[in-house]
Amino acid sequence: MNGDNGTSTQAPQLRALLFTDLCDSLILVERIGDSAAAELFQQHDRLVLTLQQQWNGQQIDRSDGLFLLFERAIDGLGFALDYQRELKALGQAQKLELRARAGLHVGEVLTWENSAEAVKAGAKSVEVEGLAKPMAARLMMLARPGQILLSAVAESLTHRATSTLGERAERLVWKSHGRWRFKGIPATQEVYEVGEIGAAPLRMPRGSTKARRDIPLWRQPAALAAEALVLATVVVGGWLLLRPAPAIAFAERDWVVVGEVRNLTDERLLDDSLDQAFRISLGQSRHVNVLSDIKVRETLALMRKPDGSLLDRQTAIEVAMRDGARAVIMPSVLEINGKLRVTVEVIDPANGNTVYSHSADGRGLESVLTSADQVVAALRDDLGEAMEDISRDSAPLPKVATPSIDALHAYAKGLAAMSTQDFDSALMFFKQAATVDPGFAFAYVGMMRIRYGQGHLEEARSLFNTANGLQDRLTPRERLYLQAWGSQFAGAAMPAVAEQWRMLTELYPDDYAGHMNYSSALYVMGKYDAALAAARPLLLAQNPQKGLAQNFVGRIHLAVADVGEAQRMFKETAAMDRGASDVWWALSLAAAKDYPASEEIFARRPLRGPGEQIERSSALVDQGRFVEANELIERAQSQCSEVVEVCRVLDVIALHQRRLTGNPTPKESYAAILDLWLKKAEQQDAASRRESVLFILATAYHAVRAGHSGAVRARSGVLKGLVQKDDEPRASQLWALVQGVLDVEDGRPESAVKSLEPFVHGDELYQVHVVLHDAYEALGDKAGQKKQRDWLDQQRGRAYAEEISSYVLQSLNLDDARRLQSSDTQRVAAL
């Protein structure tokens, strides 16, 4: 403010504000000299004037950069794009690199014209003030050279109007750089970048003292987490105590969808102006969260709506239902008795009923924005009472592509059933979703996931093929998800499968299924620390299947010997879903040798399925209750007929537990199992064959541990060929275990040590240390034995949690854990 008494506008004006800065201009002058620089800047000014006229811009200020106002946001973007391109061409003609940074924002500003005397004295002809001005300037300063940054409001308005740019719109790329905090701007702002393909940097802006990223707590360095938590507690507590009551009774997570303006007049110009007024006014509110245009477009794509679809009443209601928005706000304008009436309705998406409406009348087009402000102000005052009539059951629906809201509801119920491990109900809901919408790809994916987990690999592959055949119904994210599953069904080695899932999580950090599968792949490979890090996003409150994820993360904690944390997670999850978590809670207690507490949990309910029977029998083996364990497994074995991949595991475990009871196991039993599955493996598809190879090698290890090395030696060439052909890390380790036992048996324990020690780097199988112990015992190395005994005793959790071919080694692990207790543990047990 300069105190000049020029002519001021009577009300704030909605304008697009563009700031640009010519990068390294002082260095440029030093490099080419004052004379050449003056000529270059004259050419630059002529360029700016031409573009200003082309895009209807009003230049407010210039120095090394520009400050311009535009009536429409798309004009400001058009100027910025042309300015970047023409500036580059100007530099190339002069054999210089000319680049500028730009920031575009839309908001209300006050403008006034300075008097002639003030202009003559050096003042600008037009002054501009308002919060939108520093916001646009901060965006420009944040940008890298050659980068155009936009606020969320500017992105919304320009993205919707790119058709006015003609063919150039098809060459534009858009990217969100997340939320930022700007000095002097009270609320966090989402920052977007736009540019032409091949020209836009598409890089994260560099923060400064005036702008920094608003990074979620879980992504900040661990060293700052505790301090940030304390600070957040103090700030939030103080705010809760001191804040004034909000004008709108929206909860912190309540969102609204703003529909398209229903324009019942002949004035088409009112469409954009009124729409902008509503969105900006509501979007800048502290109390209302407006679903952004980019989110709305994503949801419309999942609904298979064509590009450019209008957000009419019914469509807006469905978008709200899918995204969990609490209400729909529908503005309209119509002409009554020579007046323009602006109306806003608040709609409950659960039933489509209007729970609140307010109108304001005015004369002439200039009255529309004022009327819009009036109805929004009334909305802020009255919405608290109106919202009491809207239900709070507004959880977002899954982000998957189907035009049928009924199919999507069935799919959501299927996911909810999966989270409590009620797989029969989940299958029923997924089948219903596919019945309602036969082209719903992810309904088949839901069924596939269940059948794959249950061991029905052939059926799972068929369901995958059905889903994968619906490529035209898939979003890019869904295609990438199925691509990762495709690599798994193609029999790719687990490291390659893990990379596919990692790529999905890198591109779509909010994809919980991707994080789950990536972490699971690492877990199966024994890379437990990496699996734990990859699984952290699964524990966020936003994950709709957090219970299922927490059970999985608890097993990782068990595998890394963090038994206390594993128990906490299993106990917490068991209280929520009463699924498999209580069984794993019991196993974690057994791993800590709290057998009475473990038995108490097992006594609460009957075992469900062969998986739980295997786990229960292992806990009995851990306690030396071999007869009970054997009876349980033989009963499960006699009842197993549905899934051969699970039944075969029971066959091997039954042989092991029969031996523990003192009954010999004939070598023909192991030989028969090996021959049967070696033959089947030759006929299986790649995915099934990979699972069979792990089972065959684990069975071979069981055989040599049972004293039937002859059955394995006779087939060593075929078994070794499996390992070389599949290039699976776990397969190589299993074969090394078999060879280690044979080396000890042949009187070459030093060879066993030499071959197994390289596997000891954190992701080794529990049995690696068992065989190393036996090799050191054969060598008479007491220190080596003690080292292995201590490790085995410290890693009892891994003995339970380690996953190899449906836990085929679990019972053997627990028998060895009991047999090879460290001397310290034995002394404590004797007291």
Side-chain angles (χ1 to χ4, degrees):
M1 298 288 185
N2 60 11
D4 183 59
N5 294 319
T7 304
S8 172
T9 55
Q10 297 302 311
Q13 298 174 315
L14 191 65
R15 292 290 184 267
L17 299 86
L18 177 69
F19 278 86
T20 71
D21 175 53
L22 187 61
C23 302
D24 301 325
S25 56
L26 291 178
I27 297 175
L28 178 65
V29 173
E30 292 178 0
R31 178 182 170 189
I32 66 176
D34 291 341
S35 179
E39 183 179 348
L40 177 63
F41 288 139
Q42 288 176 5
Q43 296 180 54
H44 171 270
D45 291 347
R46 288 193 293 269
L47 165 64
V48 170
L49 180 60
T50 300
L51 294 178
Q52 182 182 332
Q53 293 172 344
Q54 177 183 347
W55 293 104
N56 303 312
Q58 180 183 8
Q59 187 175 131
I60 304 301
D61 198 5
R62 75 169 299 277
S63 54
D64 290 345
L66 303 170
F67 173 28
L68 301 102
L69 292 184
F70 297 87
E71 293 280 347
R72 301 192 309 160
I74 192 64
D75 289 336
L77 177 59
F79 180 98
L81 291 168
D82 280 350
Y83 180 60
Q84 296 278 29
R85 184 173 59 182
E86 295 300 328
L87 192 63
K88 181 179 179 181
L90 179 60
Q92 289 174 342
Q94 302 288 335
K95 297 183 179 180
L96 299 169
E97 185 179 25
L98 297 181
R99 294 186 298 173
R101 54 175 62 89
L104 181 65
H105 178 52
V106 176
E108 291 184 338
V109 293
L110 290 167
T111 65
W112 66 89
E113 295 181 359
N114 285 320
S115 65
E117 293 81 2
V119 173
K120 186 175 181 180
K124 298 189 294 290
S125 60
V126 177
E127 296 284 357
V128 176
E129 289 298 339
L131 188 59
K133 182 179 175 182
M135 178 64 200
R138 295 281 190 270
L139 280 170
M140 180 271 292
M141 289 186 286
L142 184 63
R144 293 174 180 269
Q147 196 169 45
I148 303 173
L149 297 183
L150 297 80
S151 64
V153 176
E155 187 275 342
S156 172
L157 297 176
T158 54
H159 209 148
R160 290 151 54 97
T162 50
S163 59
T164 61
L165 299 177
E167 295 181 359
R168 169 184 264 185
E170 300 177 1
R171 301 196 301 272
L172 294 183
V173 287
W174 305 76
K175 182 178 179 63
S176 171
H177 290 303
R179 302 193 72 84
W180 289 72
R181 292 188 178 276
F182 294 92
K183 185 176 181 180
I185 308 297
T188 60
Q189 304 287 332
E190 188 159 10
V191 174
Y192 293 86
E193 179 181 353
V194 64
E196 296 189 65
I197 296 173
L202 297 178
R203 297 175 60 193
M204 181 64 66
R206 292 174 176 169
S208 66
T209 56
K210 295 185 178 181
R212 59 182 177 85
R213 287 190 69 194
D214 188 36
I215 301 175
L217 180 61
W218 63 270
R219 294 179 59 187
Q220 295 182 11
L224 299 178
E227 297 175 33
L229 182 59
V230 172
L231 178 61
T233 302
V234 173
V235 172
V236 172
W239 179 76
L240 288 173
L241 289 171
L242 302 175
R243 64 171 178 151
I248 296 179
F250 270 100
E252 190 171 328
R253 291 183 183 173
D254 284 341
W255 291 81
V256 297
V257 174
V258 179
E260 302 286 345
V261 174
R262 187 166 175 248
N263 186 358
L264 301 178
T265 73
D266 294 330
E267 297 292 345
R268 295 299 98 189
L269 293 175
L270 291 177
D271 291 340
D272 286 340
S273 59
L274 190 56
D275 182 74
Q276 290 177 20
F278 268 102
R279 289 177 182 275
I280 292 171
S281 183
L282 287 170
Q284 292 178 345
S285 169
R286 293 177 300 161
H287 310 300
V288 177
N289 298 311
V290 178
L291 201 68
S292 69
D293 270 8
I294 194 167
K295 289 291 186 183
V296 170
R297 287 195 296 270
E298 289 175 357
T299 303
L300 290 174
L302 294 174
M303 293 165 61
R304 296 188 57 77
K305 293 286 187 181
D307 292 342
S309 295
L310 294 178
L311 208 59
D312 57 22
R313 184 187 183 101
Q314 191 55 46
T315 304
I317 288 173
E318 184 167 342
V319 168
M321 293 174 68
R322 287 174 179 256
D323 286 314
R326 180 98 185 276
V328 172
I329 295 178
M330 292 296 300
S332 62
V333 57
L334 72 159
E335 188 173 0
I336 299 179
N337 300 324
K339 294 182 178 180
L340 290 177
R341 172 169 294 177
V342 176
T343 302
V344 64
E345 293 179 82
V346 178
I347 301 166
D348 184 349
N351 52 34
N353 294 335
T354 298
V355 298
Y356 170 88
S357 67
H358 187 82
S359 300
D361 294 342
R363 290 189 179 276
L365 294 178
E366 66 277 2
S367 71
V368 170
L369 294 182
T370 302
S371 297
D373 286 339
Q374 291 176 7
V375 296
V376 170
L379 183 65
R380 291 176 176 173
D381 291 337
D382 302 339
L383 194 52
E385 182 178 342
M387 294 302 286
E388 292 180 1
D389 296 327
I390 297 180
S391 66
R392 289 191 174 272
D393 185 16
S394 57
L397 293 171
K399 301 292 186 182
V400 288
T402 173
S404 170
I405 191 69
D406 292 329
L408 188 59
H409 276 299
Y411 179 80
K413 287 185 176 294
L415 291 182
M418 277 187 69
S419 69
T420 61
Q421 301 179 60
D422 183 0
F423 298 118
D424 290 339
S425 296
L427 272 174
M428 177 186 70
F429 285 121
F430 290 142
K431 287 178 180 177
Q432 176 62 19
T435 300
V436 174
D437 177 12
F440 187 2
F442 264 62
Y444 302 104
V445 169
M447 290 184 273
M448 175 203 76
R449 291 171 58 193
I450 293 175
R451 301 310 270 170
Y452 187 91
Q454 293 174 335
H456 297 269
L457 301 185
E458 291 299 324
E459 185 180 349
R461 170 181 282 279
S462 176
L463 289 164
F464 166 79
N465 290 336
T466 300
N468 201 45
L470 298 167
Q471 287 290 316
D472 63 324
R473 295 285 301 268
L474 300 172
T475 66
R477 178 190 296 213
E478 291 172 343
R479 291 191 187 99
L480 194 58
Y481 179 87
L482 284 175
Q483 179 181 317
W485 269 106
S487 67
Q488 199 154 323
F489 280 114
M494 196 52 66
V497 173
E499 277 301 295
Q500 287 284 327
W501 291 117
R502 185 188 67 79
M503 180 171 64
L504 178 66
T505 62
E506 290 287 334
L507 293 174
Y508 300 101
D510 61 335
D511 194 305
Y512 298 111
H515 285 288
M516 183 71 171
N517 290 336
Y518 176 40
S519 183
S520 296
L522 294 170
Y523 176 76
V524 168
M525 290 190 290
K527 298 185 180 299
Y528 301 118
D529 290 335
L532 193 60
R536 294 196 190 284
L538 296 171
L539 300 180
L540 294 174
Q542 296 91 326
N543 183 3
Q545 292 190 299
K546 183 184 175 183
L548 189 65
Q550 188 162 311
N551 177 281
F552 168 64
V553 176
R555 281 184 281 154
I556 305 177
H557 280 290
L558 198 58
V560 297
D562 190 355
V563 179
E565 181 63 12
Q567 289 177 358
R568 185 193 69 79
M569 300 192 85
F570 292 138
K571 181 179 180 181
E572 184 178 304
T573 312
M576 291 188 294
D577 61 35
R578 308 303 302 173
S581 299
D582 50 359
V583 171
W584 277 100
W585 182 17
L587 295 181
S588 66
L589 289 165
K593 300 186 180 180
D594 187 354
Y595 299 122
S598 175
E599 289 300 304
E600 183 181 343
I601 293 173
F602 274 123
R604 291 178 184 173
R605 66 166 175 82
L607 299 172
R608 297 181 298 197
E612 292 188 1
Q613 290 169 313
I614 290 171
E615 292 149 3
R616 172 65 174 133
S617 71
S618 295
L620 291 170
V621 168
D622 188 13
Q623 300 173 62
R625 297 161 63 180
F626 302 137
V627 173
E628 294 174 69
N630 185 48
E631 290 175 350
L632 175 59
I633 284 298
E634 286 186 345
R635 187 163 59 250
Q637 187 184 17
S638 67
Q639 297 169 351
C640 188
S641 60
E642 186 179 0
V643 185
V644 293
E645 287 81 1
V646 176
C647 296
R648 68 187 181 185
V649 171
L650 288 170
D651 291 341
V652 173
I653 295 176
L655 289 173
H656 169 249
Q657 295 188 357
R658 178 184 176 185
R659 180 165 61 88
L660 293 179
T661 63
N663 296 314
T665 54
K667 67 177 182 181
E668 292 79 13
S669 298
Y670 287 106
I673 294 173
L674 288 172
D675 287 340
L676 172 64
W677 286 99
L678 281 169
K679 183 177 180 180
K680 283 191 175 184
E682 295 176 357
Q683 304 166 353
Q684 288 178 319
D685 60 60
S688 300
R689 185 177 185 279
R690 184 189 63 209
E691 295 295 325
S692 291
V693 166
L694 293 174
F695 168 76
I696 291 167
L697 293 170
T699 302
Y701 180 68
H702 266 281
V704 295
R705 286 291 308 277
H708 299 312
S709 58
V712 175
R713 292 178 193 272
R715 296 161 179 80
S716 61
V718 180
L719 294 172
K720 187 175 181 180
L722 290 178
V723 178
Q724 294 172 339
K725 186 174 181 180
D726 277 53
D727 191 29
E728 188 73 44
R730 283 303 207 199
S732 300
Q733 204 169 145
L734 284 168
W735 180 241
L737 285 173
V738 172
Q739 293 285 34
V741 175
L742 295 177
D743 285 339
V744 173
E745 184 179 284
D746 292 342
R748 293 183 287 111
E750 69 284 350
S751 179
V753 172
K754 184 178 179 180
S755 63
L756 290 175
E757 283 288 1
F759 289 106
V760 180
H761 43 65
D763 61 359
E764 68 270 19
L765 292 168
Y766 190 81
Q767 287 296 320
V768 167
H769 292 272
V770 173
V771 179
L772 280 171
H773 170 273
D774 293 346
Y776 283 124
E777 184 178 38
L779 288 169
D781 186 341
K782 299 295 184 182
Q785 286 179 256
K786 183 180 186 306
K787 180 180 178 182
Q788 301 308 317
R789 283 178 181 269
D790 290 345
W791 187 95
L792 290 167
D793 207 44
Q794 293 166 5
Q795 299 293 332
R796 284 173 49 81
R798 184 176 301 193
Y800 277 104
E802 186 176 79
E803 185 173 346
I804 288 287
S805 189
S806 300
Y807 297 96
V808 70
L809 294 179
Q810 190 183 65
S811 176
L812 186 58
N813 285 347
L814 271 301
D815 177 38
D816 287 325
R818 181 195 56 79
R819 176 176 65 91
L820 299 176
Q821 295 180 82
S822 70
S823 55
D824 293 339
T825 303
Q826 290 176 7
R827 282 196 298 271
V828 171
L831 294 177

